[in-house]
Amino acid sequence: MARVYNFSAGPSMLPEPVLKKAAAEMLDYEGTGQSVMEMSHRSKAFDKIIKDAEALLREVMNIPDNYKVMFVQGGGSTQFAMVALNLMNKNNKADYIVTGQWAKKALQEAQRYGDAVAVASSADKTFTYIPKTDKSMFREDADYVYICMNNTIYGTVYHELPDTGDIPLVADISSCIVSEPIDVSKFGLLFAGAQKNMSGAGVTIVIAREDLIGNAMDITPTMLNYKTHADADSLYNTPPCYAIYIAKLVLEWIKNDIGGLDKMKELNEKKAKLLYDFLDSSEMFNGTVVPEDRSLMNVPFVTGDAELDAKFVKESTEAGFVNLKGHRTVGGMRASIYNAMPYEGVEKLVEFMKKFEADNK
Ligand SMILES: *Cc1c(COP(=O)(O)O)cnc(C)c1O
């Protein structure tokens, strides 16, 4: 069977060269006579894989030396608790900007452990924009300010970061990591579940400024303490070895095949522009997000008619464009066009949408 164009929000498409390389190395990884899935996480071969993955991530993302990189488990969702337990440690206060479900879940989790509040929200317009903030809106004694950088469900992204002054900024970058360059030094901590843009499910990447590690609340479980993973170079216990290996292959693909994050951004912008330009010109399909906050990665759109939406989802699936149904809380459609979605996939989708519009006038 031919491969489909998979517009899933996550897990999502991986670059074909990565899948081919993994397939070729499945039975015998570099002469070890075993697959990466079978080898000890303490073996020399795996030690090289995890060290290479970290070195590549540092190089590709230009991560400063005073930041630790950790490969942990539990998905983006476990970070909602980890961030609060580890960072809400001076005044037990944290300020959240609520731009969708993921930020809201993070806030609710933090409220279990301290005085966490929403200082701004875009719930009034179904999260179709990024609320404007200024420094005066944050509590001076907040331990951190939290944002969800790219809102996977609603299709918004921060093109400009909030000014938090000296308060560390924490960001969930699950659905935009390695999609474009990002100035890591502007953040106290970044995290990303890898299954959107970097690997398969199983590994979560945490990038944390060193001075923020080591002051977790007393109640913090050992496995949820960043210090545990930072001190052990992510080998305190068995890490998600195979997902780390795939992340390494993806990073090699970005570095060697694509040419780095500046180039990746160019490709992503070109891809997204094609779809947004069509949505702006179409009489049937409409994007749901205000133009200035549109995500490069997740593009929600509607026809305004639930039956027509359903017909579109059904017919597009049959034509080989899968997982275009919108999130269950939003309805309509959503095309997730992460790094691995080829330009040609968006081009063909737009052709299909044009034809659908003509046929259903
Ligand atoms: C998918 C997603 C999550 C949740 O990730 P899990 O790994 O499923 O826990 C959190 N934040 C964002 C922005 C996401 O896109």
Side-chain angles (χ1 to χ4, degrees):
M1 164 179 188
R3 279 175 62 76
V4 293
Y5 290 113
N6 180 6
F7 293 89
S8 169
S12 35
M13 283 182 84
L14 285 163
E16 228 170 76
V18 166
L19 295 176
K20 284 186 174 146
K21 178 122 202 245
E25 293 179 334
M26 180 59 82
L27 294 184
D28 175 13
Y29 178 76
E30 292 194 349
T32 58
Q34 49 191 309
S35 83
V36 175
M37 244 179 282
E38 300 167 298
M39 62 180 52
S40 164
H41 60 294
R42 309 276 174 207
S43 64
K44 232 169 114 183
F46 185 74
D47 192 58
K48 179 155 170 32
I49 290 171
I50 193 168
K51 289 211 167 85
D52 284 353
E54 175 173 343
L56 280 160
L57 187 72
R58 285 184 177 279
E59 183 183 346
V60 165
M61 286 186 70
N62 197 14
I63 300 172
D65 289 343
N66 63 324
Y67 285 74
K68 286 276 187 195
V69 170
M70 291 164 261
F71 299 102
V72 300
Q73 305 197 44
S77 301
T78 297
Q79 291 308 306
F80 301 163
M82 270 177 98
V83 163
L85 286 164
N86 284 268
L87 267 50
M88 223 190 327
N89 50 14
K90 290 198 183 84
N91 301 314
N92 202 228
K93 285 183 182 177
D95 289 355
Y96 281 66
I97 303 179
V98 178
T99 49
Q101 282 215 5
W102 296 122
K104 191 170 151 199
K105 282 189 174 167
L107 168 63
Q108 285 168 341
E109 193 68 17
Q111 285 171 335
R112 297 166 60 98
Y113 304 111
D115 175 10
V117 297
V119 290
S121 164
S122 49
D124 60 336
K125 290 185 181 156
T126 332
F127 303 115
T128 50
Y129 70 102
I130 298 287
K132 299 267 178 297
T133 52
D134 67 70
K135 215 159 71 178
S136 70
M137 293 165 74
F138 305 114
R139 294 179 292 182
E140 269 171 31
D141 57 349
D143 290 325
Y144 61 89
V145 171
Y146 182 103
I147 62 168
C148 179
M149 185 114 165
N150 183 76
N151 293 278
T152 325
I153 297 175
Y154 301 94
T156 60
V157 70
Y158 279 87
H159 288 296
E160 206 179 306
L161 294 175
D163 176 8
T164 63
D166 293 332
I167 311 172
L169 180 63
V170 172
D172 176 354
I173 55 167
S174 293
S175 51
C176 59
I177 188 168
V178 297
S179 64
E180 58 180 303
I182 170 172
D183 184 353
V184 175
S185 72
K186 292 219 157 73
F187 298 86
L189 185 143
L190 294 161
F191 71 83
Q195 72 272 21
K196 313 275 162 73
N197 214 16
M198 266 206 61
S199 182
V203 65
T204 302
I205 287 142
V206 179
I207 302 164
R209 217 173 63 203
E210 270 167 7
D211 62 288
L212 296 174
I213 301 173
N215 299 300
M217 294 179 193
D218 288 341
I219 58 162
T220 307
T222 304
M223 279 295 289
L224 298 193
N225 193 324
Y226 289 129
K227 191 168 167 30
T228 303
H229 302 285
D231 286 354
D233 294 325
S234 304
L235 288 165
Y236 172 77
N237 73 325
T238 320
C241 300
Y242 201 75
I244 292 170
Y245 159 68
I246 297 292
K248 178 188 94 100
L249 297 184
V250 167
L251 289 161
E252 283 171 348
W253 173 77
I254 292 174
K255 182 186 164 187
N256 302 325
D257 297 22
I258 300 296
L261 288 189
D262 285 312
K263 198 79 214 264
M264 195 78 247
K265 180 184 186 190
E266 243 178 70
L267 294 171
N268 285 329
E269 281 177 340
K270 193 170 157 225
K271 233 160 49 184
K273 184 174 187 312
L274 186 64
L275 186 49
Y276 284 122
D277 281 352
F278 169 68
L279 290 173
D280 288 343
S281 70
S282 164
E283 282 174 19
M284 176 180 283
F285 298 103
N286 287 299
T288 55
V289 170
V290 299
E292 63 270 26
D293 297 328
R294 284 170 166 177
S295 165
L296 290 182
M297 299 279 99
N298 311 96
V299 184
F301 55 96
V302 294
T303 65
D305 173 346
E307 264 177 45
L308 200 56
D309 286 351
K311 185 166 191 263
F312 177 80
V313 169
K314 181 170 176 287
E315 291 181 11
S316 58
T317 306
E318 286 162 6
F321 307 100
V322 305
N323 291 316
L324 280 164
K325 195 172 183 324
H327 190 266
R328 60 187 187 280
T329 62
V330 186
M333 283 71 70
R334 170 180 48 172
S336 293
I337 49 174
Y338 296 116
N339 286 357
M341 172 62 66
Y343 183 78
E344 180 196 76
V346 179
E347 224 173 17
K348 290 195 171 154
L349 173 65
V350 168
E351 275 168 37
F352 178 84
M353 290 169 78
K354 280 184 184 160
K355 183 163 185 312
F356 183 90
E357 182 167 350
D359 292 348
N360 291 276
K361 267 213 168 97

Short mmCIF file of all heavy atoms in Angstrom, two decimals, residues 9 74-78 80 102 148 150-152 172-175 191 193 195-196 204 338, ligand 1:
data_model
loop_
_atom_site.label_atom_id
_atom_site.label_comp_id
_atom_site.label_asym_id
_atom_site.label_seq_id
_atom_site.Cartn_x
_atom_site.Cartn_y
_atom_site.Cartn_z
N ALA A 9 -2.32 15.37 14.44
CA ALA A 9 -1.69 16.31 15.38
C ALA A 9 -0.65 15.63 16.24
O ALA A 9 0.17 16.28 16.88
CB ALA A 9 -2.76 16.96 16.25
N GLY A 74 6.74 10.09 30.38
CA GLY A 74 5.51 10.67 30.95
C GLY A 74 4.82 11.68 30.05
O GLY A 74 3.77 12.20 30.39
N GLY A 75 5.40 11.97 28.89
CA GLY A 75 4.75 12.87 27.94
C GLY A 75 4.75 14.32 28.41
O GLY A 75 5.19 14.63 29.52
N GLY A 76 4.22 15.17 27.54
CA GLY A 76 4.09 16.58 27.91
C GLY A 76 3.26 16.72 29.19
O GLY A 76 3.55 17.58 30.04
N SER A 77 2.28 15.87 29.36
CA SER A 77 1.34 16.01 30.49
C SER A 77 2.02 15.85 31.84
O SER A 77 1.61 16.49 32.81
CB SER A 77 0.21 14.99 30.34
OG SER A 77 -0.46 15.19 29.12
N THR A 78 3.03 15.00 31.93
CA THR A 78 3.73 14.85 33.22
C THR A 78 4.52 16.11 33.55
O THR A 78 4.72 16.44 34.72
CB THR A 78 4.65 13.60 33.18
OG1 THR A 78 3.81 12.46 33.00
CG2 THR A 78 5.42 13.43 34.48
N PHE A 80 3.45 19.02 33.29
CA PHE A 80 2.57 19.98 33.96
C PHE A 80 2.81 19.94 35.47
O PHE A 80 2.83 20.97 36.14
CB PHE A 80 1.09 19.70 33.64
CG PHE A 80 0.75 19.74 32.16
CD1 PHE A 80 -0.42 19.18 31.68
CD2 PHE A 80 1.61 20.34 31.25
CE1 PHE A 80 -0.74 19.22 30.33
CE2 PHE A 80 1.30 20.40 29.89
CZ PHE A 80 0.12 19.83 29.43
N TRP A 102 -4.12 22.79 26.64
CA TRP A 102 -2.87 22.31 27.24
C TRP A 102 -2.40 23.25 28.32
O TRP A 102 -1.91 22.82 29.38
CB TRP A 102 -1.80 22.09 26.17
CG TRP A 102 -2.17 21.02 25.19
CD1 TRP A 102 -2.28 21.16 23.84
CD2 TRP A 102 -2.47 19.64 25.47
NE1 TRP A 102 -2.63 19.96 23.27
CE2 TRP A 102 -2.76 19.02 24.24
CE3 TRP A 102 -2.53 18.88 26.64
CZ2 TRP A 102 -3.11 17.66 24.15
CZ3 TRP A 102 -2.87 17.54 26.54
CH2 TRP A 102 -3.15 16.95 25.32
N CYS A 148 2.06 28.16 26.71
CA CYS A 148 2.10 27.08 25.73
C CYS A 148 2.40 27.77 24.40
O CYS A 148 1.59 28.53 23.89
CB CYS A 148 0.77 26.34 25.66
SG CYS A 148 0.79 25.00 24.45
N ASN A 150 3.06 26.88 21.13
CA ASN A 150 2.25 26.58 19.94
C ASN A 150 1.04 25.75 20.40
O ASN A 150 1.21 24.69 20.99
CB ASN A 150 3.07 25.80 18.91
CG ASN A 150 2.29 25.54 17.63
OD1 ASN A 150 2.12 26.42 16.80
ND2 ASN A 150 1.78 24.32 17.48
N ASN A 151 -0.14 26.28 20.12
CA ASN A 151 -1.35 25.64 20.63
C ASN A 151 -1.92 24.67 19.58
O ASN A 151 -2.64 25.07 18.68
CB ASN A 151 -2.33 26.71 21.07
CG ASN A 151 -1.79 27.45 22.28
OD1 ASN A 151 -1.92 26.98 23.40
ND2 ASN A 151 -1.12 28.57 22.05
N THR A 152 -1.54 23.43 19.78
CA THR A 152 -1.79 22.34 18.85
C THR A 152 -3.26 22.22 18.45
O THR A 152 -3.58 21.96 17.30
CB THR A 152 -1.35 21.02 19.53
OG1 THR A 152 -0.21 21.29 20.34
CG2 THR A 152 -1.04 19.95 18.53
N ASP A 172 5.84 25.29 27.04
CA ASP A 172 5.53 23.99 26.44
C ASP A 172 5.72 24.15 24.93
O ASP A 172 4.98 24.91 24.29
CB ASP A 172 4.08 23.64 26.79
CG ASP A 172 3.60 22.35 26.14
OD1 ASP A 172 4.34 21.76 25.33
OD2 ASP A 172 2.46 21.93 26.45
N ILE A 173 6.74 23.48 24.39
CA ILE A 173 6.99 23.59 22.94
C ILE A 173 6.77 22.24 22.24
O ILE A 173 7.40 21.92 21.24
CB ILE A 173 8.40 24.16 22.62
CG1 ILE A 173 9.52 23.34 23.28
CG2 ILE A 173 8.50 25.60 23.03
CD1 ILE A 173 10.91 23.67 22.74
N SER A 174 5.82 21.46 22.81
CA SER A 174 5.59 20.10 22.30
C SER A 174 5.33 20.07 20.80
O SER A 174 5.78 19.16 20.11
CB SER A 174 4.40 19.46 23.02
OG SER A 174 4.70 19.24 24.37
N SER A 175 4.57 21.04 20.29
CA SER A 175 4.16 20.95 18.89
C SER A 175 4.91 21.94 17.99
O SER A 175 4.51 22.13 16.84
CB SER A 175 2.65 21.14 18.76
OG SER A 175 2.23 22.30 19.42
N PHE A 191 9.97 22.46 27.45
CA PHE A 191 9.78 21.00 27.37
C PHE A 191 8.93 20.66 26.15
O PHE A 191 8.18 21.50 25.64
CB PHE A 191 9.15 20.43 28.65
CG PHE A 191 7.70 20.80 28.86
CD1 PHE A 191 6.68 20.08 28.25
CD2 PHE A 191 7.36 21.86 29.69
CE1 PHE A 191 5.34 20.42 28.45
CE2 PHE A 191 6.02 22.21 29.89
CZ PHE A 191 5.02 21.49 29.27
N GLY A 193 6.91 17.01 24.53
CA GLY A 193 6.65 15.61 24.21
C GLY A 193 7.09 15.43 22.77
O GLY A 193 6.76 16.25 21.92
N GLN A 195 6.49 13.30 20.31
CA GLN A 195 5.73 12.60 19.25
C GLN A 195 5.06 13.50 18.22
O GLN A 195 4.42 13.03 17.30
CB GLN A 195 4.70 11.66 19.88
CG GLN A 195 3.51 12.33 20.52
CD GLN A 195 3.75 12.70 21.98
OE1 GLN A 195 4.88 12.81 22.43
NE2 GLN A 195 2.68 12.89 22.73
N LYS A 196 5.21 14.82 18.37
CA LYS A 196 4.65 15.72 17.37
C LYS A 196 5.67 16.01 16.27
O LYS A 196 5.34 15.97 15.10
CB LYS A 196 4.21 17.04 18.01
CG LYS A 196 3.39 16.89 19.29
CD LYS A 196 1.91 16.69 19.03
CE LYS A 196 1.15 16.10 20.21
NZ LYS A 196 0.91 17.00 21.32
N THR A 204 10.18 12.60 26.29
CA THR A 204 9.89 14.02 26.46
C THR A 204 11.22 14.72 26.67
O THR A 204 12.06 14.25 27.44
CB THR A 204 8.99 14.25 27.69
OG1 THR A 204 7.80 13.49 27.51
CG2 THR A 204 8.63 15.72 27.85
N TYR A 338 3.55 19.29 10.28
CA TYR A 338 4.83 19.34 10.98
C TYR A 338 5.99 19.21 9.97
O TYR A 338 5.78 19.00 8.77
CB TYR A 338 4.90 18.21 12.01
CG TYR A 338 3.87 18.34 13.12
CD1 TYR A 338 2.86 17.39 13.27
CD2 TYR A 338 3.92 19.40 14.02
CE1 TYR A 338 1.93 17.50 14.29
CE2 TYR A 338 3.00 19.52 15.04
CZ TYR A 338 2.00 18.56 15.18
OH TYR A 338 1.08 18.68 16.18
C1 LIG B 1 0.20 16.86 22.69
C2 LIG B 1 0.50 17.98 23.60
C3 LIG B 1 0.62 17.80 24.98
C4 LIG B 1 0.36 16.49 25.66
O1 LIG B 1 1.36 15.59 25.36
P1 LIG B 1 1.34 14.09 25.91
O2 LIG B 1 2.70 13.64 25.52
O3 LIG B 1 0.24 13.37 25.23
O4 LIG B 1 1.15 14.16 27.38
C5 LIG B 1 0.96 18.89 25.75
N1 LIG B 1 1.15 20.10 25.21
C6 LIG B 1 1.04 20.30 23.88
C7 LIG B 1 1.29 21.66 23.32
C8 LIG B 1 0.72 19.25 23.03
O5 LIG B 1 0.60 19.46 21.72
#
